Amino acid sequence: MKQITTYAGKKVLVLGLAKSGTNAAKLLKRLGATVTVSDVQPLAENQNAQELKAAGFDVILGEQTPDLLDAGYDLIVKNPGIPYDVPVVKRALDLKLPIISEMELTGEVAEAELVAVTGSNGKTTTTTMIQKMLDHDRQAGHAVYAGNIGVPASMVAQEVTADDTLVLEVSSFMLVGTTEFHPHIAVLTNIFSNHLDYHKTRANYVAAKMKITANQTADDYFVVNFDNPEWRELSKQSAAKVVPFSRADNSQDGAYEADGDLYFRGEKIMAASDVKVPGDHNIENALAAIAVAKIKGVSTAAIVSVLKTFGGVRHRTQYVLEAEGRQYYNDSKATDMEATEMALKGFKAPVVLLAGGLDRGYTFEKMVPAFKEHVKAIVLFGQTAKLLEDAAKQAGIKTIKFAENAEAGVPVAYQLSDPGDIILLSPANASWDQYPNFEVRGDRFIKAVEDLTGKQEEK
């Protein structure tokens, strides 16, 4: 870990705990700061607060009102999930208090070279593919992942050395709170219209994503999806060397697919059909990972080995098991329409789809073509069930059923299926109307599949 003095003697408020806030607090204390942590969850239910309190941290629990700042802080480290329009954060902005994220701390202290991945969809799969490729047959150090992938970045940043590579999944929420964050290789998988309840406008959302390359120089690399004119145009904002990837063969200056094969700058890597995880979106993820691996000098043999054996990340078009001729897939991470569309396009067999979730104020006409082409029957749940029913009817789906939730939909989906079908949970919506997060939703779906079939999830 780099022994920086930036925070020595500073009075810092960590706003919001969970994994990122807890580890950020520990790191700040190690760097010599006086740290106060604030979280809304009461102590009896808050293991992170209990741990920090026992370690001697000043812990303030309960409603986070503007007067929390009366103690006079030099800096706020904000949990990425807390919006900037809540009163306490608005007051901090009025006071011109610096507000950063855990990712900023990570970039400051990590000795390892940084590879950072952002995008609306595909971040976790791409991050994992890159980590596996960079770690394959490595002679010195390790490639490790952290960040939005579920591993606290500030914790890992304290452990990695100059021989290692730290591969970071970085959300737009994390990037907003960065100022000096500087990855050597930055990856942009795609940008759709996500999280507008948080960012307020699409322009703000795009600007947050583009902070991943804001501090890069001509010595760095910006790996960008070239299959959308907007994304190609955004690449011009970067001072780094732009390395494209394209499933539509829009550029051969990086990684691309042509005639069913994957290439990097003219070198054939492998057949696209040999990539183990299904779907065109995973071909895009593979191309992004190939570009990073080739920049870092990874052998073609190592790249092929990873892509032929990597079976996907949990909750992301994850193969669960096969029973009675039906294949079950868990794509609970599909929290927007684009992710579900891409999942559906990855299957040639008929799909019985389970979908629904949090109502964010939009309708689902955009889903009609994918429904029409891939879905034979649909099971709907959650706040958006009726909205999705409208789209399913427009697509001509004759078999539309409703269930209380995702797990209750499993036996319903089975009854609607035939041998050879795919039973797919791909909700196209966030989970928060019925579940704490998409992981819980996916885990309960898998448990329901196991209960129904009498078989165990394949790992």
Side-chain angles (χ1 to χ4, degrees), residues 297-315:
V298 175
S299 71
T300 297
I303 293 170
V304 171
S305 176
V306 169
L307 293 178
K308 281 188 173 183
T309 58
F310 172 59
V313 179
R314 191 171 181 83
H315 307 301

Side-chain angles (χ1 to χ4, degrees), residues 311-345:
V313 179
R314 191 171 181 83
H315 307 301
R316 294 155 176 87
T317 324
Q318 171 204 356
Y319 175 68
V320 179
L321 57 82
E322 182 174 354
E324 298 184 46
R326 287 98 165 152
Q327 291 186 336
Y328 294 82
Y329 282 83
N330 163 34
D331 191 34
S332 184
K333 181 60 172 68
T335 57
D336 57 48
M337 289 183 276
E338 290 83 5
T340 295
E341 286 178 304
M342 288 190 286
L344 289 170
K345 290 175 183 177

